[in-house]
Amino acid sequence: PAKYFDTKTTEPISFFLSGLEELLAWQPNSNDEFNVSAVPLAKRQPPLQSRRPRTLVCHDMRGGYLEDRFIQGSATRNPYVFYHWRYIDIFVYFSHHTVTIPPVVWTNAAHRNGVPVLGTFITEWTDGEKLCEAFLAAGEEAYGAVAEQLARIAQHFRFDGWLVNIENKLSAAAVGNLPLFLRDLTARVHSAVPGGLVIWYDSILKDGTLRWQNELNDENRMFFDACDGLFTNYNWKEEQLERTQRLAGPRQNDVYVGIDVFARGDVIGGGFDTDKSLRLIRQFGLSAAIFAPGWVYEHLGKENFLQNENRFWGLLAEYLPTHSICTLPLTTSFSLGMGTSTFLDGKDEESGPWYDLSAQDIQPLYPELQGRLSTSCCLQDAWCGGSSLQLQGTIPPGEERVAVRLFSLQMPAPPKLFLTLLYKLEGPQPDDFTVALEVTTWDSGTCLEGNPTSLPEPNGRYYPRFLPAPPPGLARLLAACRRGSHGWTSRCYELELQDCSLRDLSVIVSRQQPSLEETSFTCLLGEVRVLDTASVAASPPQVLGVTASQLWWQ
């Protein structure tokens, strides 16, 4: 059927539902199995419910379901990708279809990086009025059936909830039942999806009028009270933020103040001035909803997209609390889920563009130090996948080294860690530098390196011990220790810790010789792995009862 399979190629595609009838008739079937997310939501710290301002990204691009609809990827040149996952809390996939089921490639990429994904339930214009009349005004059985279907759809496709956006006026009967519908939907989503969310868009007033408030107030509060959060419209002023903060009270982090990156209407700042809006929102301790950050791609063009994207998020970074990884193993080749070639073990195996967000790796922080360091994605060379992480910077006169923080970590350190690193130094004199990993721990009087005679490090910095060869028994798994090729250097390390909590994983680029000159370097990172030795040595669980369905023989 054309809904599930591309008519030209027969490949499986992601889809949406149109209208009330299609929503109520939806049942899981074997054709939609490709669209079920295969990646569970990774744990991260701090968790979503922590008391700190959050950041929601609402992705709205040219009607949605573009090249991202191809579940098994496509040969798209210069596609849109998002990879600043460490800086955000929630990802919403938005389109103007009644029921927007997020394309599974987005759910997979977001979940791998610990970010929950919401679909959109929208009604608008006169058709929307009729639809709302049919399910809201008709009473408990009718709106209960819609809530039940939306919860079942999120559970079946394994995404995390809904943004509800009613953009049409409502009759008295319909608006009377709206808070009840939101409560019902929220309860059903919470019970069907662990950590599930329902967020309401600021549009309707308690009397059923469609009028955007750009704030939380007594006209729209009953909808906020009935669900997990409010996403406000974009044309707010400072005094509205103040009133919102006052009224939200202890729930101020559940108000996501809208920022339209396209800066339509009377707004404080969009585009490369989005930081002006974000700064004000954070002054009042409120969460933010960044709408259509694809502006970078749509408005500035595909050609320098990755450069412009790093600039856009770099300008916002000081207002975006970041997230830590809290489980091992941590392993990444930094792939963006796209490329101009496909690399394997440092070799360009297949030239030609590809795009598959399901293949995106765990993404690092992208630290920028003005004039000193920039972190970016390099598509020209990679160890595995489509890209590597490029570190470009300078070591100032008289200093020995630069530390680049890749990941913040928050977990108890296992007694013994193995770490592996693959890198390539570029530029005229690559032999002038050494590259190594650094692990920092949270300061604690009891934290020691494994050797009982060593004293605790005053700043909790540890340089894992370099292993020239992998320990016996792990040789096959850690072939990484000597598998550098095509100009890539491979390093393997071991670190024993007692009673420590992991804090940061950084790469250190050092000069071989002290110098009074400023020295520039370019280093590509191809892969980083942090493994708990005990679980690496254990044998993997047996897989039983494998079945294959939807086979297509060529």
Side-chain angles (χ1 to χ4, degrees):
K3 181 176 199 61
Y4 305 102
F5 299 98
D6 183 58
T7 45
K8 289 198 192 73
T9 64
T10 78
E11 288 175 27
I13 51 174
S14 293
F15 56 87
F16 49 86
L17 305 177
S18 301
L20 195 55
E21 277 175 39
E22 197 176 0
L23 169 61
L24 293 172
W26 177 83
Q27 288 295 342
N29 74 55
S30 61
N31 287 323
D32 65 22
E33 285 172 8
F34 288 108
N35 217 28
V36 174
S37 171
V39 182
L41 179 60
K43 289 190 166 64
R44 58 185 347 200
Q45 284 291 343
L48 190 66
Q49 298 312 329
S50 309
R51 299 187 68 91
R52 67 172 194 175
R54 304 180 199 119
T55 308
L56 176 153
V57 160
C58 189
H59 173 63
D60 173 24
M61 188 173 280
R62 301 201 304 272
Y65 301 96
L66 306 172
E67 289 77 11
D68 54 5
R69 74 184 185 279
F70 290 101
I71 295 171
Q72 294 173 345
S74 64
T76 304
R77 197 176 292 284
N78 299 326
Y80 176 73
V81 290
F82 177 82
Y83 49 92
H84 285 80
W85 299 109
R86 298 271 136 247
Y87 301 86
I88 76 163
D89 296 86
I90 300 167
F91 182 86
V92 178
Y93 193 88
F94 183 91
S95 84
H96 289 276
H97 303 288
T98 314
V99 179
T100 298
I101 299 168
V104 65
V105 296
W106 281 106
T107 307
N108 287 340
H111 278 186
R112 187 169 290 124
N113 285 281
V115 175
V117 176
L118 308 186
T120 308
F121 175 57
I122 191 172
T123 68
E124 41 193 351
W125 314 107
T126 46
D127 285 350
E129 274 179 64
K130 288 179 197 149
L131 194 150
C132 289
E133 202 58 23
F135 90 93
L136 280 175
E140 188 174 351
E141 200 179 321
Y143 69 69
V146 168
E148 175 63 15
Q149 285 294 77
L150 290 173
R152 284 180 68 212
I153 287 168
Q155 182 183 44
H156 176 73
F157 293 109
R158 299 187 189 157
F159 61 96
D160 306 285
W162 297 97
L163 171 67
V164 179
N165 187 3
I166 307 282
E167 299 253 6
N168 45 258
K169 64 179 194 289
L170 295 178
S171 67
V175 79
N177 283 332
L178 180 55
L180 302 172
F181 163 67
L182 285 174
R183 265 182 214 287
D184 190 23
L185 174 63
T186 304
R188 289 177 197 255
V189 166
H190 287 182
S191 104
V193 179
L197 290 169
V198 174
I199 293 177
W200 168 254
Y201 186 74
D202 152 34
S203 50
I204 295 288
L205 310 187
K206 61 186 176 190
D207 66 0
T209 318
L210 174 65
R211 196 159 71 238
W212 299 271
Q213 298 298 286
N214 306 295
E215 65 178 310
L216 173 67
N217 60 26
D218 285 330
E219 295 286 341
N220 60 18
R221 182 183 184 158
M222 67 291 308
F223 309 123
F224 173 62
D225 290 342
C227 67
D228 296 308
L230 169 75
F231 178 152
T232 78
N233 194 44
Y234 314 103
N235 305 117
W236 43 266
K237 293 285 171 277
E238 192 170 341
E239 57 270 20
Q240 289 169 299
L241 298 181
E242 202 175 332
R243 292 199 294 262
T244 296
Q245 178 197 37
R246 219 172 29 242
L247 191 61
R251 283 190 69 198
Q252 63 182 36
N253 299 147
D254 295 338
V255 180
Y256 300 84
V257 180
I259 304 174
D260 180 4
V261 180
F262 278 84
R264 290 164 280 211
D266 180 12
V267 301
I268 307 279
F272 286 128
D273 289 328
T274 298
D275 58 316
K276 292 183 177 144
S277 297
L278 195 51
R279 184 186 313 124
L280 265 181
I281 292 168
R282 295 303 198 219
Q283 276 172 16
F284 292 94
L286 298 165
S287 291
I290 300 175
F291 182 76
W295 169 85
V296 175
Y297 182 85
E298 292 189 70
H299 181 72
L300 301 173
K302 307 172 179 187
E303 280 58 45
N304 292 324
F305 167 61
L306 295 176
Q307 213 176 327
N308 289 328
E309 181 76 342
N310 288 344
R311 180 182 165 207
F312 177 82
W313 290 97
L315 290 167
L316 304 183
E318 70 174 291
Y319 308 109
L320 301 174
T322 60
H323 296 82
S324 306
I325 285 176
C326 61
T327 52
L328 293 179
L330 163 58
T331 167
T332 180
S333 302
F334 307 103
S335 182
L336 293 176
M338 60 160 285
T340 49
S341 280
T342 305
F343 292 86
L344 187 62
D345 293 343
K347 181 169 180 274
D348 184 344
E349 290 279 325
E350 193 180 340
S351 271
W354 64 274
Y355 177 45
D356 180 0
L357 286 168
S358 289
Q360 189 183 77
D361 260 315
I362 292 177
Q363 292 298 307
L365 296 163
Y366 282 85
E368 297 282 324
L369 292 172
Q370 223 44 57
R372 289 270 308 270
L373 172 75
S374 78
T375 318
S376 58
C377 314
C378 171
L379 299 174
Q380 287 70 45
D381 197 355
W383 174 255
C384 178
S387 52
S388 56
L389 190 69
Q390 179 171 276
L391 313 176
Q392 281 181 302
T394 55
I395 301 177
E399 288 185 29
E400 304 286 301
R401 39 170 260 167
V402 169
V404 184
R405 191 165 73 116
L406 297 179
F407 292 100
S408 58
L409 310 168
Q410 203 169 328
M411 62 188 123
K416 192 188 261 189
L417 288 170
F418 275 117
L419 303 95
T420 67
L421 169 68
L422 273 147
Y423 69 90
K424 183 185 273 195
L425 281 160
E426 306 222 297
Q429 286 140 330
D431 299 341
D432 291 358
F433 301 97
T434 55
V435 179
L437 289 175
E438 176 188 81
V439 173
T440 58
T441 58
W442 292 92
D443 270 335
S444 109
T446 57
C447 174
L448 291 171
E449 203 162 342
N451 167 359
T453 56
S454 65
L455 292 168
E457 289 282 326
N459 53 6
R461 291 180 189 282
Y462 296 95
Y463 303 99
R465 198 176 61 198
F466 173 58
L467 296 176
L474 294 180
R476 205 178 67 207
L477 186 103
L478 293 177
C481 300
R482 42 161 174 253
R483 60 187 183 139
S485 60
H486 299 281
W488 291 88
T489 303
S490 175
R491 289 276 182 263
C492 211
Y493 306 91
E494 185 178 67
L495 181 59
E496 293 183 58
L497 295 169
Q498 289 174 17
D499 301 327
C500 299
S501 213
L502 300 178
R503 182 176 185 166
D504 284 315
L505 177 68
S506 302
V507 164
I508 306 292
V509 181
S510 317
R511 314 184 207 249
Q512 295 275 26
Q513 303 293 328
S515 164
L516 295 172
E517 307 278 303
E518 180 174 271
T519 322
S520 301
F521 64 87
T522 300
C523 175
L524 300 182
L525 299 185
E527 183 187 79
V528 170
R529 299 195 289 177
V530 183
L531 310 172
D532 173 355
T533 311
S535 61
V536 168
S539 26
Q542 288 285 265
V543 179
L544 302 167
V546 176
T547 62
S549 61
Q550 298 281 10
L551 298 176
W552 180 44
W553 295 97
Q554 255 184 314

